[in-house]
Amino acid sequence: MTDAAELRHRTRELLAAYPPATTGRRDFLRARFDAGLAWVHYPAGLGGLGAPRSLQAAVDAELEAAGAPDNDPRRIGIGLGMAAPTILRYGTEEQKRLYLRPLWVGEEVWCQLFSEPGAGSDLAALGTRAVRDGDDWVVNGQKVWTSSAHLARWAILIARTDPDVPKHQGITYFICDMTDPGVEVRPLRQVTGEAEFNEVFLTGVRIPDSRRLGEIGDGWRVAQTTLMNERVSIGGMRIPREGGMIGPVAKTWRERPELRTHDLHQRLLALWVEAEVARLTGERLRQQLSAGQPGPEGSGMKLAFARLNQEISGLEVELLGAEGLLYDDWTMRRPELVDFTGREAGYRYLRSKGNSIEGGTSEVLLNIVAERVLGLPAEPRTDKDVAWKDLAR
Ligand SMILES: Cc1cc2nc3c(=O)[nH]c(=O)nc-3n(C[C@H](O)[C@H](O)[C@H](O)COP(=O)(O)OP(=O)(O)OC[C@H]3O[C@@H](n4cnc5c(N)ncnc54)[C@H](O)[C@@H]3O)c2cc1C
């Protein structure tokens, strides 16, 4: 197995062959992928070297210190955090070869066509249909809240291929080409005024069977890999101390003594400690991840992330008083990424409301923790043996 010394050696070889100062950004990233230094735990030939995931941080640090460009992970978060691990686990060799390199390099943005107007928390109830027609599937339906659909080249899509079996069984997982003429993307405006996400109408979209991921009817199982990874990628990002939402409020506290009160001090300290505990728990989760697939523990991290972001941004608005209420940019922008710390307090306050909804609502994550971590009795599920077509809608 590739060890730390071998990775260091390969990193230096890469830097010598492709000096960041004189190599174009994309060229450097492609060379990094081909050298197996993109995600070192992926197999050789697919951007990795089959090394322990925990060795990635040292590679990243050495490349960063040498001034190497990164692949702008926040811009391609859905591809990196959700599509890639699903393709790696369920994709054919050809699919892996075709999609993973442009995904990691950032040449192709991915989005997630899961939620529908009638299927969010109860995702397995989804009604978008995929019907087999020769070597293709013909897809019709509507998806909603699709982040980055307007930027995306590809989507991970789940659709119903068999309405005659119970809802979890008749779903199949596909890779959808967002440039297909049957794909229509319309912006949806959020409370921030921006339109990060979209509704997506799929009308007669033809998807070749070669873009199916996993077996026919096994899409629910494949989607679990995506969803587990989604929670980890939303709640478990690596951040330095004071790197998250707590950073801007701590900075304001230090720089603006005139705003301080005793009560706010106590609350800020308590939240600072909680943010640090959550950050360190995230580190532990990542170490656990290097030993296997993400488990339901990721749901706990995502829960804490959502609650803390909302409480901390609320405290920041309170600390700033009237100034904290200023939010003067109501133009409908189409941001390429969610930037919590580079924006004003009002943006953080408004945007963090979505944290307890996206990637599974906090109520649903509490159910997952209750059932799969604590082993408490499951919610009654009266529809699990009923054919999807017979469910009340
Ligand atoms: C910023 C943002 C980005 C998003 N990006 C994407 C994306 O890129 N792709 C995508 O597919 N989706 C995306 N979503 C959608 C997101 O996954 C859904 O909004 C979410 O799963 C909830 O579904 P819903 O909106 O249909 O609400 P519902 O499922 O209708 O829930 C309504 C309320 O009922 C509660 N509830 C539902 N079921 C239960 C239960 N069993 N027990 C207790 N309470 C329950 C919920 O917690 C919630 O409060 C995004 C959402 C947001 C906010």
Side-chain angles (χ1 to χ4, degrees), residues 248-268:
V249 65
K251 185 165 179 284
T252 305
W253 182 269
R254 290 189 188 107
E255 291 174 356
R256 307 272 304 270
E258 76 280 8
L259 300 174
R260 296 176 190 168
T261 68
H262 177 70
D263 170 57
L264 286 171
H265 188 217
Q266 297 306 105
R267 284 163 55 204
L268 175 63

Side-chain angles (χ1 to χ4, degrees), residues 78 82 111-123 143-148 190 196-197 230 351 353-364 367 379:
I78 292 175
M82 293 148 70
C111 67
Q112 179 198 23
L113 292 173
F114 278 26
S115 304
E116 297 183 3
S121 301
D122 187 12
L123 184 58
K143 297 289 177 175
V144 75
W145 320 127
T146 318
S147 307
S148 305
Q190 297 156 244
E196 254 172 62
F197 52 31
E230 177 173 20
R351 180 57 185 81
K353 298 297 172 203
N355 290 158
S356 52
I357 306 172
E358 59 196 315
T361 68
S362 291
E363 291 77 16
V364 166
N367 281 345
E379 277 199 330

